[in-house]
Amino acid sequence: MTPIELYNTLSRRKETFVPREPGAVDIYVCGVTTYDQSHLGHARPAVVFDCLRRYLRLKGYRVRLVQNFTDIDDKIIARANAEGKDPLELADFYCQEYLQNITRLGVERADIYPRVSAHIKEIIDMIAGLIERGAAYPAGGHVFFSVAAFPEYGKLSNQKLEELESQGSGAGDEEQYKRHPVDFALWKAAKPGEPAWDSPWGKGRPGWHIECSAMALKYLGNGFDIHGGGMDLVFPHHENEIAQSEAYTGKAPFARYFLHNGLVTVNGEKMSKSLGNFVSIDEALARYPAELWRYFILSSHYRSVLDFEEERLEAAHKAWTRLNRAVWDLEEAGVQPDWPGLAAVWAGMETAQNNQGTELESAVYAAARRLDEALANDFNTPAAMAVLFELLPAIKVDGRPQRGLAPALGFLKEVLSDLLGVLAPAKPGGVNDALAEGLLRLLVELRAEARKKKDWTTADRIRDGLARLGVKLEDTPEGTRWTIS
RNA sequence: GGCGGCAUAGCCAAGUGGCUAAGGCGGAGGUCUGCAAAACCUCUAUUCCCCAGUUCGAAUCUGGGUGCCGCCUCCA
């Protein structure tokens, strides 16, 4: 079994992955602030960490995944006020929307989806603890984290306090209460018309960063394994989480590995709600199946920028169809999958099979191992995809039974479906209406007769006519098959 | 200004010092075919943004430069 290496933002290099506890991986991924529709920029980390989680499980780890919802925030309040709605109801609406969308994207549910609004007590306790330890101070109804109390501040984003200081965020009515310009709010004093909770410092609500620290510590404890999120969260969000958490527990590290996915861009510009250039998951799924979007996302390395571009999507669609077709062809030929499973192969329990099999069989086992090598190398999904494409030429269904086809089908199905989640649910071509199917069959039969009589005009007329209706006919030696787009 | 990342074929994209620089899309040719489609086969970067350096050996390491992107205000 190939040991896993992951790029850790903390050290800015790849490290061999050693979990806190052997055989178990605890992951906290920063979720969304729920004030608007979720878009492809949110789909990326959801899909990437979903897939990473599946991979880790196949490697034999028990994986626990926690992903938060930030359902209290300035933007939510602003949006709710603008629409005359209750902030928490608005947030709940978009929580549901997000969950539905990522479920449609084939993302398995996290073990826990904690919400800020349900963890006010934990947050208040943590803030109180930070004040006790001298790492935070109340002022003007707010509570601020004191960066002066945390000498390691800046270690994640590699920033010097003096540099940050010279920048100064400037605006905001809280600034006047800060002792240091880089200090940030743990608790914000309530303004009229805002959701507020009682606290030792008066009515108010949590600041932006504290919730993740409080909830991660509650559910995963200090020193958990992987903390994930988008590249744009490195600073200040994750930097501040580290500061709060480590100042609170007195122990480092808060999380052992920080993994950050690259951003999604549109024409080279970051996709974001504020720029208004986003493609919502809803729109995306209306155009292409979820499995294709997963393929598109996983065909770039998770840390690189992923540019959303029409041409690339079409290229991905063709490549993706080829992978799926390999499975359909095998199934159509009546091949029954026979495969011990990736977990067994990777664990080295199937070595005996490697040598006694046919050429194709050993190619499949070799591909399985190369797939592991690719993914173990900082979760290199594009390299993993290449392994699959390299195997395709070896898989030929030519009518004659071939011994390696059964493991090939089993391998492909497990990788495409269980690991990557990119296997199209069903071969296109299904007609959901008995009448339509009957008519289609009749036309194909009529065309076959015309072709027999070399009446190409009629044959082409049927084919062209169906093409206009979105039904593609393909003549193969085994007969005509149709696919509906 | 500070911090971080990226630059590899027409496009996308792997490449963690050393066999002929993965793979996908596109393109060219071919097999098959009434034609088409699909599938399959073959070909498609003497060279990795530029300049120095380290090394027997560099796309890969170091320094400098150029260009693009992100963060430093809310962001996945």
Side-chain angles (χ1 to χ4, degrees), chain A residues 359-378:
Chain A
E359 207 171 305
L360 176 54
E361 274 185 303
S362 36
V364 172
Y365 282 88
R369 282 189 297 272
R370 284 200 293 139
L371 190 87
D372 185 25
E373 281 164 28
L375 295 175
N377 179 14
D378 196 25

Short mmCIF file of all heavy atoms in Angstrom, two decimals, chain A residues 359-378:
data_model
loop_
_atom_site.label_atom_id
_atom_site.label_comp_id
_atom_site.label_asym_id
_atom_site.label_seq_id
_atom_site.Cartn_x
_atom_site.Cartn_y
_atom_site.Cartn_z
N GLU A 359 -2.85 -11.51 -19.75
CA GLU A 359 -2.19 -10.22 -19.92
C GLU A 359 -3.12 -9.09 -19.48
O GLU A 359 -2.72 -8.16 -18.80
CB GLU A 359 -1.83 -10.05 -21.40
CG GLU A 359 -0.65 -9.14 -21.62
CD GLU A 359 -0.22 -9.20 -23.08
OE1 GLU A 359 0.05 -10.31 -23.59
OE2 GLU A 359 -0.17 -8.12 -23.69
N LEU A 360 -4.39 -9.20 -19.89
CA LEU A 360 -5.34 -8.16 -19.53
C LEU A 360 -5.56 -8.12 -18.03
O LEU A 360 -5.60 -7.06 -17.43
CB LEU A 360 -6.67 -8.39 -20.25
CG LEU A 360 -7.81 -7.42 -19.88
CD1 LEU A 360 -7.37 -5.98 -20.06
CD2 LEU A 360 -9.03 -7.71 -20.74
N GLU A 361 -5.65 -9.30 -17.42
CA GLU A 361 -5.83 -9.33 -15.98
C GLU A 361 -4.69 -8.63 -15.26
O GLU A 361 -4.92 -7.82 -14.36
CB GLU A 361 -5.94 -10.77 -15.48
CG GLU A 361 -7.35 -11.32 -15.55
CD GLU A 361 -7.43 -12.71 -14.93
OE1 GLU A 361 -6.69 -13.59 -15.39
OE2 GLU A 361 -8.23 -12.88 -14.00
N SER A 362 -3.47 -8.93 -15.66
CA SER A 362 -2.37 -8.28 -14.95
C SER A 362 -2.33 -6.79 -15.26
O SER A 362 -1.92 -6.00 -14.42
CB SER A 362 -1.02 -8.94 -15.25
OG SER A 362 -0.97 -9.36 -16.58
N ALA A 363 -2.80 -6.39 -16.46
CA ALA A 363 -2.87 -4.96 -16.77
C ALA A 363 -3.85 -4.26 -15.84
O ALA A 363 -3.61 -3.14 -15.39
CB ALA A 363 -3.29 -4.76 -18.22
N VAL A 364 -4.95 -4.93 -15.53
CA VAL A 364 -5.95 -4.35 -14.64
C VAL A 364 -5.38 -4.18 -13.23
O VAL A 364 -5.52 -3.13 -12.62
CB VAL A 364 -7.23 -5.21 -14.61
CG1 VAL A 364 -8.19 -4.72 -13.54
CG2 VAL A 364 -7.91 -5.18 -15.98
N TYR A 365 -4.70 -5.22 -12.76
CA TYR A 365 -4.13 -5.13 -11.41
C TYR A 365 -3.04 -4.06 -11.35
O TYR A 365 -2.93 -3.33 -10.36
CB TYR A 365 -3.59 -6.49 -10.96
CG TYR A 365 -4.71 -7.41 -10.51
CD1 TYR A 365 -5.37 -8.24 -11.42
CD2 TYR A 365 -5.11 -7.42 -9.18
CE1 TYR A 365 -6.41 -9.05 -11.01
CE2 TYR A 365 -6.16 -8.24 -8.76
CZ TYR A 365 -6.80 -9.05 -9.68
OH TYR A 365 -7.84 -9.85 -9.27
N ALA A 366 -2.27 -3.98 -12.43
CA ALA A 366 -1.22 -2.96 -12.47
C ALA A 366 -1.85 -1.57 -12.46
O ALA A 366 -1.37 -0.65 -11.79
CB ALA A 366 -0.35 -3.14 -13.71
N ALA A 367 -2.95 -1.42 -13.20
CA ALA A 367 -3.63 -0.13 -13.24
C ALA A 367 -4.15 0.24 -11.85
O ALA A 367 -4.05 1.40 -11.43
CB ALA A 367 -4.78 -0.18 -14.24
N ALA A 368 -4.66 -0.73 -11.14
CA ALA A 368 -5.19 -0.47 -9.80
C ALA A 368 -4.08 0.05 -8.89
O ALA A 368 -4.28 0.99 -8.12
CB ALA A 368 -5.80 -1.73 -9.21
N ARG A 369 -2.90 -0.54 -9.02
CA ARG A 369 -1.79 -0.08 -8.17
C ARG A 369 -1.29 1.29 -8.59
O ARG A 369 -0.95 2.13 -7.76
CB ARG A 369 -0.66 -1.11 -8.20
CG ARG A 369 -0.95 -2.32 -7.30
CD ARG A 369 0.27 -3.22 -7.18
NE ARG A 369 0.63 -3.79 -8.48
CZ ARG A 369 0.13 -4.92 -8.96
NH1 ARG A 369 -0.73 -5.61 -8.25
NH2 ARG A 369 0.49 -5.37 -10.14
N ARG A 370 -1.28 1.54 -9.90
CA ARG A 370 -0.83 2.86 -10.35
C ARG A 370 -1.84 3.94 -9.95
O ARG A 370 -1.48 5.08 -9.69
CB ARG A 370 -0.63 2.85 -11.87
CG ARG A 370 0.66 2.12 -12.27
CD ARG A 370 1.10 2.51 -13.65
NE ARG A 370 0.16 2.03 -14.65
CZ ARG A 370 -0.22 2.74 -15.70
NH1 ARG A 370 0.23 3.96 -15.88
NH2 ARG A 370 -1.07 2.23 -16.56
N LEU A 371 -3.09 3.54 -9.91
CA LEU A 371 -4.13 4.47 -9.47
C LEU A 371 -3.86 4.89 -8.03
O LEU A 371 -3.96 6.07 -7.66
CB LEU A 371 -5.49 3.78 -9.57
CG LEU A 371 -6.69 4.67 -9.39
CD1 LEU A 371 -7.07 5.29 -10.73
CD2 LEU A 371 -7.86 3.88 -8.84
N ASP A 372 -3.50 3.93 -7.22
CA ASP A 372 -3.20 4.22 -5.81
C ASP A 372 -2.00 5.14 -5.71
O ASP A 372 -1.99 6.09 -4.94
CB ASP A 372 -2.95 2.89 -5.08
CG ASP A 372 -2.74 3.09 -3.58
OD1 ASP A 372 -3.25 4.10 -3.04
OD2 ASP A 372 -2.09 2.24 -2.95
N GLU A 373 -0.97 4.85 -6.52
CA GLU A 373 0.23 5.70 -6.48
C GLU A 373 -0.12 7.14 -6.84
O GLU A 373 0.37 8.08 -6.23
CB GLU A 373 1.28 5.18 -7.48
CG GLU A 373 2.06 3.99 -6.95
CD GLU A 373 2.81 3.26 -8.06
OE1 GLU A 373 3.17 3.91 -9.06
OE2 GLU A 373 3.01 2.04 -7.92
N ALA A 374 -0.97 7.29 -7.86
CA ALA A 374 -1.36 8.63 -8.28
C ALA A 374 -2.10 9.36 -7.16
O ALA A 374 -1.79 10.51 -6.84
CB ALA A 374 -2.23 8.57 -9.53
N LEU A 375 -3.06 8.69 -6.56
CA LEU A 375 -3.87 9.35 -5.54
C LEU A 375 -3.10 9.57 -4.25
O LEU A 375 -3.31 10.55 -3.54
CB LEU A 375 -5.14 8.55 -5.27
CG LEU A 375 -6.10 8.48 -6.46
CD1 LEU A 375 -7.28 7.57 -6.15
CD2 LEU A 375 -6.59 9.87 -6.84
N ALA A 376 -2.19 8.64 -3.95
CA ALA A 376 -1.38 8.79 -2.74
C ALA A 376 -0.44 9.98 -2.87
O ALA A 376 0.02 10.53 -1.89
CB ALA A 376 -0.58 7.51 -2.47
N ASN A 377 -0.18 10.38 -4.09
CA ASN A 377 0.70 11.52 -4.33
C ASN A 377 -0.11 12.82 -4.33
O ASN A 377 -0.48 13.33 -5.38
CB ASN A 377 1.42 11.33 -5.67
CG ASN A 377 2.33 12.49 -6.00
OD1 ASN A 377 2.62 13.33 -5.14
ND2 ASN A 377 2.76 12.57 -7.24
N ASP A 378 -0.41 13.28 -3.15
CA ASP A 378 -1.16 14.53 -2.98
C ASP A 378 -2.46 14.51 -3.77
O ASP A 378 -2.84 15.49 -4.37
CB ASP A 378 -0.30 15.74 -3.36
CG ASP A 378 -0.90 17.05 -2.85
OD1 ASP A 378 -1.63 17.00 -1.85
OD2 ASP A 378 -0.63 18.10 -3.45
#
